[in-house]
Amino acid sequence: MQRLWRLGPGEVAWRDAPEPVIRAPHEAIVRPVAATTCDLDVMILRGTTPFTAPMALGHECVAEVVETGPEAAGLSPGQRVVVPWHVSCGACPRCRRRLPNTCSSFPPGAMFGMDVGGDFGSFFSDLVLVPHAAAMLVPLPRGLDPALCASASDNLPFGYELTVPYLAERPGADVLIVGGVGSVGLYAAAYAVAAGAGEVLYVDTDSDRLARAERCGARVQEGPPPRRTPRTYPITVDASGTEAGLRCAISSTEPEGMSASVGTHWGDVAFPMREMYAKGLHFYTGRGRGHPNIAAALAYVQDGRVDPAVAITDVVPFAEADRRLAAPAMKTVFVR
Ligand SMILES: [Zn+2]
Ligand SMILES: [Zn+2]
């Protein structure tokens, strides 16, 4: 089978790889039918991260089940499923607390499409072996287009996670999103609007992303993140990848408000601790929890409240991934 590798700056190629084989009863083999880049992949491909080549990429896809072990209950060949970005067991205390992104049965950080704690396969591939498939795989709801939902592994439910649970605690609250890294800020805006936020302000320097945020129903502000916004927000999201964006989100959060950052800060950054202490700031950062939010995020897509296409730049044949990812767009979906 073929697997896509980033070999160096602007250099991406298909390489032969051994076909996966089921060796444990809980495993399944799937074939990605719609795969796309996470915002992090785009940064890696553009060479703006500390990640080094060679690297087999891809941790966002909708796949078709090809083969199942006897304990992969509820799955059958031909079924379409979302494969979460992380690798997890579904049974350890962390998975049972709905934190499979930190599953204790695998090395810390274990995921697809990145050699963290081992090589677990990658989604720009013909086939992928999925451990604990019954716990890991999320059936794609009937009628949903795999191309539209390729990001349901990671960036799409991350947008949900950064806004919807906080809006449930503060119904109708206003939300500030500082964009910049790519799709996650746009998805956060889409879910905030869909979940009934008051005003959703989206700040970015990129005119294409600003137009897309406007299509989500956000009010947009063009330009670099200000030191702080003229008024404060109960919920703020730093999806900028910059220290200035993180600082803007924190300083624009109202007392006892919630500020979340999607990360992609590649070094230590200074926190305004005195200000955060004085006003009582709740802060979260992480890679997103993945599995626990996938079905809930897709429910918004199924009933038309969120359109994942707001962040999709184009949809092209799978075989073109080597050429297209040498100079990646924000979110190209590769289909077969
Ligand atoms: Zn990702
Ligand atoms: Zn686990």
Side-chain angles (χ1 to χ4, degrees), residues 88-96 100 102-106:
S88 52
C89 73
C92 74
R94 288 185 166 278
C95 283
R96 287 203 304 270
T102 57
C103 173
S104 51
S105 299
F106 289 93

Side-chain angles (χ1 to χ4, degrees), residues 30-122:
V30 302
R31 175 177 165 83
V33 293
T36 190
T37 47
C38 165
D39 293 343
L40 174 57
D41 293 329
V42 173
M43 299 168 93
I44 291 169
L45 287 159
R46 289 178 179 162
T48 59
T49 74
F51 292 94
T52 53
M55 185 172 167
L57 284 170
H59 62 267
E60 292 201 338
C61 83
V62 169
E64 215 165 68
V65 176
V66 173
E67 191 186 343
T68 57
E71 286 176 18
L75 297 167
S76 50
Q79 189 178 358
R80 284 175 171 175
V81 289
V82 176
V83 192
W85 63 265
H86 50 78
V87 180
S88 52
C89 73
C92 74
R94 288 185 166 278
C95 283
R96 287 203 304 270
R97 285 177 56 213
R98 291 169 53 84
L99 302 169
N101 53 322
T102 57
C103 173
S104 51
S105 299
F106 289 93
M111 64 181 292
F112 295 105
M114 214 161 280
D115 197 350
V116 184
D119 180 1
F120 296 96
S122 49

